[in-house]
Amino acid sequence: MPKTILAANWKMHGSKKMLKEYFRDFLNYSSELSSNAFDKVETVFALPTIYLPFAQDIVQTLPIKLAAQNIHQNEKGAFTGEISADMLLDLNINRTLIGHSERRQYFGDTDAIIAAKVKLCTEKNIKIIACCGETLSERESGKTQDVVERQCMAILDACQEVSLLTIAYEPVWAIGTGKTATAGQAQEVHAFIRKLLDKKFGPQALEIPILYGGSVKAANFKELMQQEDINGGLVGGASLDPQEFSQLLKIAVTVQV
Ligand code: PGA
């Protein structure tokens, strides 16, 4: 059984002031949860890299994991503005998102580049939440499975250590649009991804969590979490509100399929 993961993706949002206030409020809102809530649901915050050390100071005594949103595929070199895997490890951060659709869309992350990042992370023992998902036109032209398969196989073929891998299915048309995939639409793709994982890795694949992302909020998360192959969420907009995000945590803790 894969573990349940609730991951926040703050994208390019936040400030030192916000971080301080956010975690104070998030803990207050989460105080009614049972003490083992964070054992039941791995709670991850993918923050702007520049704030990770500051966030570490704030969350050091909390059962919260921090992650980057991206790393560069090369170990080091003349790549102005980029962050390496070793730099992340140097900060004692061993998690990152890889291949988010905004990276694919705006920063030229191709399947080959994403594969190189996944490979590097698995060599360096960095845990990965690797993203995939189709655009609206791809869905409308019946290409969802083809796209998801192509993106996933690039990730799976590059992954050298299954225990480091989490997949996030994020239909691009649902990201930041307020349009969520229905629980049925999401489950259908998650079941398809589960099959790809099975085919590639056999029984080990059963441990790989598959998260859903795309306009997740408290109002739609319960139904999504009730689906057999949905093991958690990757949350953008709603993760910026500590009250809403603690609601999501509550749902993830209570809905164990
Ligand atoms: P959203 O973003 O929840 O704001 O749709 C999800 C994501 O991009 O990871």
Side-chain angles (χ1 to χ4, degrees):
M1 186 71 191
K3 64 184 162 203
T4 305
I5 299 177
L6 180 64
N9 174 12
W10 277 23
K11 309 191 180 187
M12 201 172 68
H13 294 286
S15 63
K16 291 206 286 186
K17 181 170 179 285
M18 175 176 162
L19 275 161
K20 261 197 215 153
E21 293 172 357
Y22 183 98
F23 283 106
R24 179 198 63 206
D25 294 346
F26 177 64
L27 281 189
N28 279 339
Y29 290 124
S30 306
S31 59
E32 63 190 81
L33 288 171
S34 61
S35 56
N36 64 351
F38 291 95
D39 297 330
K40 284 187 169 169
V41 177
E42 187 171 290
T43 307
V44 180
F45 284 84
L47 301 177
T49 319
I50 197 165
Y51 288 128
L52 285 170
F54 184 75
Q56 271 174 319
D57 285 345
I58 298 176
V59 305
Q60 54 183 321
T61 56
L62 309 176
I64 283 171
K65 319 283 187 203
L66 296 176
Q69 297 172 3
N70 179 45
I71 54 146
H72 195 265
Q73 64 273 25
N74 283 296
E75 289 214 41
K76 61 180 169 189
F79 301 104
T80 301
E82 293 293 320
I83 304 285
S84 75
D86 285 334
M87 290 170 190
L88 212 56
L89 292 171
D90 200 23
L91 297 180
N92 295 318
I93 301 287
N94 64 351
R95 281 184 174 71
T96 186
L97 307 182
I98 295 287
H100 188 279
S101 65
E102 285 149 20
R103 301 286 325 166
R104 294 176 189 263
Q105 206 176 335
Y106 305 128
F107 302 99
D109 278 16
T110 58
D111 284 329
I113 289 172
I114 290 160
K117 292 180 181 190
V118 168
K119 180 166 179 283
L120 183 61
C121 283
T122 57
E123 283 165 5
K124 300 276 180 186
N125 211 22
I126 293 175
K127 297 186 171 74
I128 309 152
I129 299 179
C131 307
C132 62
E134 80 288 1
T135 62
L136 186 59
S137 66
E138 287 164 343
R139 172 161 283 264
E140 285 175 347
S141 55
K143 293 200 191 109
T144 299
Q145 291 200 349
D146 291 348
V147 171
V148 168
E149 179 165 6
R150 192 199 72 229
Q151 294 177 341
C152 272
M153 291 321 293
I155 293 163
L156 304 190
D157 287 343
C159 176
Q160 302 182 354
E161 179 49 59
V162 171
S163 65
L164 296 171
L165 185 63
T166 294
I167 300 286
Y169 168 59
E170 299 202 306
V172 178
W173 49 272
I175 293 178
T177 57
K179 249 193 201 176
T180 332
T182 63
Q185 282 173 323
Q187 166 58 25
E188 195 183 346
V189 180
H190 279 236
F192 176 70
I193 295 172
R194 177 63 64 210
K195 270 202 203 123
L196 296 176
L197 295 174
D198 262 12
K199 211 156 103 193
K200 175 75 189 173
F201 298 120
Q204 286 183 76
L206 290 172
E207 298 304 311
I208 302 174
I210 310 173
L211 315 184
Y212 171 79
S215 296
V216 166
K217 46 186 183 285
N220 58 32
F221 194 44
K222 184 167 174 205
E223 207 190 340
L224 287 161
M225 280 302 294
Q226 284 168 336
Q227 305 306 307
E228 190 179 341
D229 293 303
I230 299 186
N231 310 118
L234 177 56
V235 187
S239 74
L240 295 169
D241 175 347
Q243 187 171 14
E244 184 81 6
F245 198 64
S246 86
Q247 287 291 330
L248 296 179
L249 178 57
K250 213 168 291 174
I251 292 166
V253 170
T254 41
V255 183
Q256 299 277 342
V257 180

